[in-house]
């Protein structure tokens, strides 16, 4: 069974607050959405089919559906309350129900495709390292050869590579996570909440280095791996399915 860690989005209060979270927590979140669909649109045709892994909440589904009225989507997420929230968001946005199919479960619960492109935004840091290659293989199997995959998640340098500043090693990682916490505070999050979130990330999430993330994409059968986004401790890549 390929699956991420237990979803943090089963608590009703967390689900209700979800829409405000990404913009307060992720530097340049709205630009990340726009860049993601621009990268997809380079190769996804006007009436293409897109797989959205971690679709709960519906923010990226709404953004892509508004910008590309000919695209159809299959979204998969392990949290039914978050899928319900996505369905409500899409209905409120006037997206026809026949354009989006939502599937409860993990990536292997998604249709076989083949899809013209895929996204997995702000999801992989919940996935244990040993499950990432199998999960990416399942995504790749559902993509047409040459289809783009866009991913973005927490990915923090450890200072071991060339040009690493901030003290190196765990010290650099702590510095980047503290910068993320400072961004949250600047976005209106109470300092004590931001500090708890930073500590929880450091203790519980599988946050890899950018080099490790790129190597995992290649191991899973993706080529032409290119970083397109960095926002403090968050990184984003576009890659091509073989």
């Amino acid at each position: 069974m390929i699956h991420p860690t237990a979803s943090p989005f089963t608590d009703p209060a967390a689900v209700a607050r979800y829409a405000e979270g990404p913009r307060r927590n992720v530097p340049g979140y709205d630009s990340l959405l726009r860049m993601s669909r621009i990268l997809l649109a380079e190769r996804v045709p006007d009436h293409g089919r897109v797989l959205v892994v971690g679709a709960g909440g519906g923010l990226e589904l709404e953004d892509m559906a508004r910008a590309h009225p000919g695209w159809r989507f299959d979204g998969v997420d392990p949290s039914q309350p978050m899928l319900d929230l996505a369905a409500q968001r899409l209905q409120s946005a006037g997206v026809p129900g026949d354009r989006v199919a939502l599937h409860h479960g993990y990536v292997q619960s998604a249709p076989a495709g083949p899809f013209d492109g895929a996204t997995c935004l702000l999801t992989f840091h919940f996935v244990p390292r040993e499950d990432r290659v199998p999960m990416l293989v399942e995504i790749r199997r559902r993509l047409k050869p040459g289809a783009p995959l866009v991913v973005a998640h927490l990915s923090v340098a450890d200072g071991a590579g060339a040009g690493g500043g901030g003290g190196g090693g765990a010290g650099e990682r702590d510095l980047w996570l503290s910068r993320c916490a400072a961004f949250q505070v600047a976005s209106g999050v109470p300092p004590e909440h931001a500090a708890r979130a930073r500590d929880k990330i450091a203790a519980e999430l599988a946050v890899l280095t950018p080099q490790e993330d790129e190597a995992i994409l290649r191991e899973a059968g993706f080529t032409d791996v290119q970083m397109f986004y960095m926002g403090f401790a968050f990184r984003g890549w576009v890659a091509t399915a073989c």
Side-chain angles (χ1 to χ4, degrees):
M1 182 69 170
I2 302 162
H3 59 84
T5 55
S7 172
F9 301 116
T10 55
D11 174 62
V15 171
R17 296 192 304 268
Y18 172 75
E20 68 188 45
R23 291 180 174 92
R24 298 172 75 177
N25 299 335
V26 183
Y29 177 72
D30 289 307
S31 295
L32 172 61
L33 292 183
R34 289 194 294 271
M35 288 187 287
S36 296
R37 59 175 157 82
I38 287 169
L39 291 168
L40 287 180
E42 290 176 349
R43 284 173 278 173
V44 175
D46 290 344
H47 295 280
R49 188 179 178 195
V50 176
L51 173 63
V52 180
V53 180
L59 293 174
E60 61 263 47
L61 279 168
E62 180 187 8
D63 181 80
M64 290 187 288
R66 286 180 179 273
H68 296 278
W71 287 5
R72 292 174 297 122
F73 305 91
D74 282 84
V76 61
D77 197 280
S79 169
Q80 186 61 53
M82 290 295 288
L83 286 177
D84 294 342
L85 184 63
Q88 294 167 14
R89 173 172 292 277
L90 294 169
Q91 183 178 33
S92 297
V95 178
D98 60 359
R99 290 185 59 201
V100 183
L102 299 175
H103 309 274
H104 180 220
Y106 301 101
V107 64
Q108 58 268 52
S109 301
F115 291 91
D116 297 290
T119 65
C120 188
L121 303 183
L122 307 182
T123 297
F124 268 116
H125 45 243
F126 296 115
V127 180
R129 179 178 182 145
E130 63 271 18
D131 288 342
R132 292 201 191 182
V133 169
M135 182 172 169
L136 281 164
V137 167
E138 290 292 329
I139 294 173
R140 181 182 56 77
R141 288 175 52 194
R142 290 163 168 78
L143 292 174
K144 296 177 181 178
L149 168 67
V150 177
V151 299
H153 47 265
L154 286 163
S155 181
V156 186
D158 62 9
E172 181 168 0
R173 177 167 293 239
D174 290 344
L175 175 61
W176 283 111
L177 293 179
S178 292
R179 287 167 173 166
C180 279
F183 180 84
Q184 291 179 317
V185 173
S187 301
V189 176
E192 61 274 16
H193 293 179
R196 283 200 298 270
R198 178 198 62 212
D199 294 343
K200 189 175 181 68
I201 289 170
E204 299 181 11
L205 297 191
V207 181
L208 308 184
T209 69
Q211 294 81 6
E212 290 170 323
D213 277 310
E214 292 178 12
I216 284 173
L217 282 163
R218 295 188 181 98
E219 184 179 348
F222 290 91
T223 63
D224 194 24
V225 179
Q226 299 179 20
M227 185 185 293
F228 72 92
Y229 160 80
M230 173 181 173
F232 282 163
F234 293 89
R235 304 287 193 282
W237 292 268
V238 60
T240 301
C242 293

